[in-house]
Amino acid sequence: MVCWLAPEQTAGKEKPFVYTQGQAVLNRAFFPCFDTPAVKCTYSALIQVPDGFTAVMSADTWERRGPHGFFFRMSHPIPSYLVALAIGDLASAEVGPRSRVWAEPCLVEAARQEYDGVIEEFLAAGEKLFGPYVWGRYDVLFMPPSFPFGGMENPCLTFVTPCLLAGDRSLADVIIHEISHSWFGNLVTNANWSEFWLNEGFTMYAQRRISSRLFGAAYTCLEAATGRALLRQHMDATGEEHPLNKLRVKIEPGVDPDDTYNETPYEKGFCFVSYLAHLVGDQDQFDRFLQAYVQEFKFQSILADDLLEFYLEYFPELKQRKVDAIPGFEFDRWLNTPGWPPYLPDLSPGDALMKPAEELAQLWAAPELDMPAIEAVAIGSWKTYQLVYFLDKVLQKSPLPPGNVKKLGELYPKVSGARNAELRLRWGQIVLRNDLQEDFGKVKDFLQSQGKQKYTLPLYRAMMGGSEAARALAKETFAATSAQLHSNVVHYVQQILAPEGS
Ligand code: BES
Ligand code: ZN
């Protein structure tokens, strides 16, 4: 789909912006194509732009053609959903030997500082684990605030939300995730959207392998625990037996695959890949298998059956032991039965970070606050994801006894006044669950500042599930922001505000 933004919808507010989003089946509205991930081809494009505009695409060759022309070619075969174009008032800065950041001029310096030097570390770690990075360059385009995703893995040029510009590199896991798609998704691709977990489950696994190498097991397990909490929330909200809670989703004719989007392919997929690694028992051997898997299926589109057959051929002793049929853990059950994952990887290496956060949340949930005990915990040194984990625990225990959340916000301005989007989301959820009306303005401000779907929808659900004042806040916020939001997000918010049949 081609998204046309007026100047007010950009960061600079002076010039219009246009971008395309292909995944899942939106590129049929951009150019004629076989709009299925089963088909891959190369492409080239000649783009003419007005004075003062720059075009960028998901291509490995970029050439100027005269004062207004840009020529692009992608020389590797890719599925239609990975063709992407953006045109705007764009500038760039080098951040590594094969990487630049692209953004509106007012954001370029912040983008450069956030990622200078580190993207190459991520790429190098990925290459060590999964084999050569075949796409040539890896650039990152910072999108206008209404971009509905954290990141989109368009080859050679990942598109990301400007929320990643946190100032402290704390949200780099999104970049590592999109880099991981360079092998899982962009080289080896799900043949249809029912097998979306092949893209996202393997990518979550690859992301956490890179993260373990670079940041250690403790931090990575903490981040994975946050992911597991999202899966828990999702399954609680839908019921574990919901058909969307299978890895292989049945998508009926006429159903938009985007409408089936949820945490299951990501986090249950991560658990299944972790289970396959657990069966092997040796991390190095499993890493070598992942390399072999990429080599075997690169530039192809596959089904889960292709993966599993290759896995059993690669590990003949596992095949002989019939590991695909262990009662309770059958591969068929993993793929075709809804519900909580039968196997969860051990996240206890993260305990040193998680336990203090859990204990602190427990202190805040007490009817009589033990302030000396609370003040003895120095959260000043906590990293963003440790705070996120703490806030998720506070949210789970909410509503807290009257007055506690107000005090919490006062004691931790770092949390209640955060500029970091992951913290603002959690604080907003806590504010709504506890009906802390004096902070409702922060929820509105946050929703006005960006339009990421995974931040927007949970907050509208929380508002509509809250007090009358919270529902009024939802209506007021939507009236103020709907013109800026992505049309899909508008549609999903409308469903939350006025559910069918009401
Ligand atoms: N490919 C997805 C984004 C996507 C999925 C767009 C389905 C359209 C339809 C991307 O790689 C992704 O998963 N992004 C996450 C990042 C997170 C898991 C680190 C996001 O946007 O939140
Ligand atoms: Zn992804």
Side-chain angles (χ1 to χ4, degrees), residues 11 231 438 476:
L231 181 66
E438 64 202 67
E476 177 193 320

Side-chain angles (χ1 to χ4, degrees), residues 392-406:
D392 277 345
K393 293 288 157 192
V394 170
L395 181 64
Q396 276 167 22
K397 297 174 196 300
S398 289
L400 300 187
N404 287 16
V405 166
K406 181 168 153 59

